[in-house]
Structures are given as structure tokens and as C-alpha cells.
Amino acid sequence: MPARGAFVVLEGLDRCGKTTQLSLLRSSLSSSSPPTPVKALNFPDRTTPIGTMINSYLKTAADMSDNAIHLLFSSNRWEAAPALLETLREGTTVVCDRYAFSGVAFTAAKNNGTCGYDWCKGPDVGLPRPDLVLFLTVSESVQEKRGDYGGERYETRELQRSVRGVFDRLRADDEGERPWKVVDADRSVEEVARDIEEAVREVEERVRGENPPIAKLWAEGSWD
Ligand code: Z5A
Ligand code: MG
């Protein structure tokens, strides 16, 4: 049995550069010598039937209660979980654009009395837990200057401020449990990419050396 792959998640506010960095990271890992087997994922995955519903909601073509859309975002991760586990177990590193942290941050940020912080975490409890969460920070002024900002449902200054607050709480609550690394994403694409690659190579090496079990998110126990 080969050692399992590492599971790395890129999180952060809108337009911090997650998708740009994920693509650079995948290329640099797969073109290294020897190449690191790597697979990229992103959430929401808009290509599945559940993802199609999420896409309609984000594009404001469909409306839904805050609770219902939250559960769909979570289902979209659970439907991907078996393949994610299999990929990690066969020794491939998975790099993922957004995960359950975005799920909690965006719904809890709405401050709707029926979906508070703890309720929001519930549906994602037990998913495969990342070995590393890279949290890309971006200042409000930089965020608003970047391409296409303002086109989708959650892209308002007020909601984004509230999302920032929930991400800070998630990071603080996970302190010591799983490494979050904060990366200043106001800098150039190249500078951000350098820091990300360094952190990912480090965790990759550790996971390959120690071959730890795949832990469960916000829960005891492991998937093995
Ligand atoms: N959501 C949720 O509510 N619940 C959930 O469970 C999940 C998500 C998983 C869509 O997500 C929405 O779903 C999102 C959260 C919510 N809410 N909103 N709004 P998405 O991931 O599909 O969103 P997106 O459309 O990909 O946007 P994004 O992720 O916010 O952007 P990004 O990936 O972080 O940035 P980017 O596309 O790489 O870069 C944006 C632009 O900036 C682009 O023109 C780049 O060329 C430029 N860029 C990037 N980096 C730099 C640097 N360093 N310097 C200068 N310019 C840069
Ligand atoms: Mg993106």
C-alpha cells in the first residue's frame, strides 16, 4: 500500500485568488521532478445535479431558504467524499478550492436566527478533515478591485464583512486541532504562489512520511 496523499484546502473571502492559486499549485506539483500525483477539486461543484441547483441559487435564478441552500452545499461535499477518500488512499494529493469552512462562513454570516454557527457546522461533521487549510486574506479595497466582483448573490460588502468574522471564529476554534496557515493574498500572484507551494510541499512530505489516518472534520475518529 502506498502512503496516502495529503488533503489541502484553500479558503478565503471572495476574490482572494483561490482559483488562480489552485491552478498554479496543481501545475507546479505535477511538473516537479519526480511529479507529485495531484488532483484538484472545487466546491461548489456546479457540474452535479445538486451543483446545478446551487448554481441557480447563486446566479439568483432560483430562490430557496437559507437552511435548504446550506444543506445542498453540504450534500455537494458529501457526494464527492467517497471519491475524495479513494483518491487520497491511492496516494494522490488533493488540492481543494473552498470546503466546509466556506459553508459555515457564508450561511452563519447571514445572521438568520434559524442557522447559527453551531447549526451550520452540523451537516459537515465527519467529512474528511484537511491536513492543511491555507487561508488567503485579502483587504476590502483590494478585494473590490479584482475582476467580476459584485456579480453573484453573496458579493456585497456587508455580507463579506460578516463572512470575515465567521472565518476568524472558525480559525480560532480550530486552533491546535488542525493547521491553518494564513497567507497574505494582497500581494502579487507570484509571491502568494511561492508561500502556498512551500507550505504544501511541507505538509505533503509530512503526510507521506507519517501516513496518518484520514481524520474526521469536527469529530473524533478517522476514516481508516
Ligand atoms: N459558498 C457557500 O455559500 N457555501 C459553501 O459551502 C461553498 C461556497 C463551498 C461561489 O463560490 C459562492 O459560493 C461563494 C461562496 C459560496 N460566494 N460568493 N460570493 P466560488 O468558489 O464558485 O466563487 P468564485 O466565483 O470562484 O469566486 P471566488 O472564489 O470568490 O474568487 P477566487 O477564486 O478567490 O479568486 P480568483 O478567481 O482566483 O481571482 C479573482 C480575480 O482576481 C481574477 O481576475 C484574478 O486574475 C485576480 N487575481 C487573483 N489573484 C490576484 C493577485 N494576487 N493579484 C492581482 N489579481 C489577482
Ligand atoms: Mg474561485
Side-chain angles (χ1 to χ4, degrees):
M1 281 284 281
R4 74 165 173 93
F7 180 25
V8 175
V9 167
L10 264 63
E11 277 285 8
L13 288 161
D14 282 36
R15 302 297 178 262
C16 63
K18 297 176 295 300
T19 303
T20 305
Q21 292 298 334
L22 193 90
S23 147
L24 292 172
L25 180 60
R26 183 175 47 173
S27 314
S28 71
L29 290 175
S30 55
S31 62
S32 59
S33 176
T36 303
V38 60
K39 181 167 185 210
L41 287 184
N42 63 281
F43 294 108
D45 174 359
R46 303 185 196 218
T47 64
T48 70
I50 292 171
T52 304
M53 288 193 269
I54 293 173
N55 187 49
S56 302
Y57 174 84
L58 289 170
K59 301 275 183 221
T60 65
D63 230 341
M64 207 171 312
S65 74
D66 294 338
N67 306 72
I69 187 64
H70 184 76
L71 296 173
L72 285 184
F73 273 115
S74 178
S75 302
N76 190 229
R77 285 182 280 279
W78 279 107
E79 66 181 340
L84 163 62
L85 287 163
E86 198 181 313
T87 307
L88 292 172
R89 285 175 180 143
E90 72 191 20
T92 299
T93 282
V94 174
V95 291
C96 180
D97 185 348
R98 293 194 192 273
Y99 198 53
F101 313 99
S102 279
V104 175
F106 280 83
T107 308
K110 294 175 181 175
N111 288 316
N112 163 347
T114 69
C115 38
Y117 180 80
D118 291 327
W119 184 88
C120 287
K121 278 177 131 177
D124 286 305
V125 166
L127 276 171
R129 180 199 286 183
D131 298 294
L132 175 67
V133 181
L134 287 159
F135 185 70
L136 277 54
T137 58
V138 66
S139 60
E140 201 170 83
S141 55
V142 168
Q143 185 185 28
E144 290 179 3
K145 274 191 221 129
R146 290 191 181 164
D148 288 339
Y149 188 72
E152 283 195 344
R153 187 181 283 264
Y154 294 150
E155 295 177 1
T156 65
R157 185 179 290 183
E158 197 192 351
L159 187 83
Q160 293 290 326
R161 280 186 184 160
S162 185
V163 170
R164 263 175 212 276
V166 187
F167 268 128
D168 288 346
R169 181 169 173 189
L170 282 163
R171 250 167 48 218
D173 285 354
D174 280 351
E175 202 66 46
E177 216 192 305
R178 150 185 348 99
W180 282 62
K181 184 176 166 57
V182 178
V183 178
D184 171 7
D186 272 359
R187 298 172 298 159
S188 71
V189 169
E190 295 73 23
E191 285 171 302
V192 177
R194 224 174 10 248
D195 281 6
I196 289 179
E197 190 179 338
E198 191 184 303
V200 172
R201 290 204 182 276
E202 212 175 281
V203 77
E204 233 267 317
E205 211 165 287
R206 178 178 65 74
V207 169
R208 285 199 193 283
E210 297 173 6
N211 197 22
I214 301 167
K216 293 186 173 177
L217 185 64
W218 299 320
E220 298 297 318
S222 74
W223 276 94
D224 303 281

